[in-house]
């Protein structure tokens, strides 16, 4: 049986930029760190995805502090880092080739923003035929204004995004459930 690959998306200092607005799930980074600790202890494959924006006004642009990884969830020496320039980790990167070289393993995808880079990556992974588990508590969302001007609270954005992904693109789960399965 092929081991699940943990894919951690955009855990960078840019996520603390005020442009994102209020967020939900303040424990997301701690849950990602719990996943990383278990994967590392079992020597399971981990891929960190880093957003290297080409937009001049992006807090993710290389060469500024926002591009750096968050200390709690930063890659350790020797862990794989895939740099992306767009929302999906599968577009313009060698991620598919890396996963194919591993035998097309099941994926556990977590990180930020759920309704942005995580969602884009989950949808692409599923469309490419990968099995995906998405721990809802190892992701977070922020408030979002729709085209009518209505402001949707981060938790509503989070829950709707999870509902749209569950079943068709991923199996939405929890960090505890993923850890229990990995440990058994």
């Amino acid at each position: 049986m092929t081991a699940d690959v943990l894919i951690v998306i955009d855990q960078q200092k840019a996520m603390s930029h005020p442009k994102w607005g209020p967020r939900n799930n303040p424990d997301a980074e701690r849950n990602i760190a719990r996943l990383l600790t278990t994967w590392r202890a079992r020597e399971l494959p981990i891929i960190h995805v880093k957003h290297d924006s080409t937009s001049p006004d992006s807090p993710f642009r290389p060469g500024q502090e926002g591009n750096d990884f968050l200390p709690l969830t930063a890659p350790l020496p020797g862990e794989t880092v895939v740099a992306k320039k767009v929302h999906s980790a599968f577009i313009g990167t060698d991620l598919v080739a890396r996963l194919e070289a591993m035998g097309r393993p099941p994926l556990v995808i977590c990180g930020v923003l759920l309704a942005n880079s995580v969602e884009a990556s989950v949808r692409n992974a599923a469309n490419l035929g990968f099995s995906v588990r998405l721990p809802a508590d190892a992701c977070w969302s922020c408030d979002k204004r729709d085209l009518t001007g209505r402001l949707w609270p981060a938790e509503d954005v989070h829950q709707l995004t999870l509902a749209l992904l569950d079943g068709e693109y991923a199996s939405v789960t929890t960090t505890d459930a993923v850890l229990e399965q990995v440990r058994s």
Side-chain angles (χ1 to χ4, degrees):
M1 184 166 110
T2 308
D4 289 9
V5 174
L6 178 62
I7 298 179
V8 181
I9 297 180
D10 295 352
Q11 287 298 286
Q12 294 165 260
K13 292 180 179 178
M15 291 313 304
S16 64
H17 193 281
K19 81 179 247 171
W20 306 115
R23 66 172 274 188
N24 74 330
N25 197 7
D27 293 327
E29 289 83 2
R30 281 190 293 277
N31 286 326
I32 294 167
R34 291 173 55 216
L35 292 165
L36 285 166
T37 297
T38 297
W39 254 254
R40 289 168 176 155
R42 288 176 166 61
E43 298 181 358
L44 298 172
I46 299 168
I47 298 175
H48 298 267
V49 177
K50 182 179 189 187
H51 190 81
D52 284 343
S53 178
T54 58
S55 175
D57 61 341
S58 172
F60 284 103
R61 196 179 72 253
Q64 57 186 353
E65 186 179 1
N67 189 259
D68 296 341
F69 284 104
L70 293 169
L72 183 63
T73 55
L76 295 180
E79 290 180 350
T80 301
V81 175
V82 171
K84 65 181 178 67
K85 295 188 182 327
V86 297
H87 304 298
S88 175
F90 289 88
I91 304 298
T93 71
D94 66 351
L95 184 56
V96 172
R98 288 175 181 273
L99 295 171
E100 285 177 348
M102 294 178 193
R104 298 187 60 82
L107 310 177
V108 173
I109 298 179
C110 61
V112 292
L113 283 169
L114 175 61
N116 193 311
S117 294
V118 174
E119 180 178 17
S121 299
V122 166
R123 286 177 183 265
N124 280 159
N127 286 328
L128 290 167
F130 290 94
S131 170
V132 179
R133 285 187 293 155
L134 177 62
D137 56 352
C139 304
W140 60 267
S141 300
C142 60
D143 288 3
K144 184 72 175 172
R145 192 169 302 280
D146 71 19
L147 297 177
T148 69
R150 178 180 175 186
L151 183 65
W152 292 84
E155 186 61 24
D156 290 353
V157 172
H158 198 76
Q159 293 305 323
L160 181 57
T161 304
L162 293 170
L164 292 168
L165 293 173
D166 190 42
E168 190 156 352
Y169 298 98
S171 174
V172 174
T173 186
T174 65
T175 297
D176 286 341
V178 169
L179 292 175
E180 183 177 323
Q181 186 175 20
V182 169
R183 290 175 182 146
S184 63

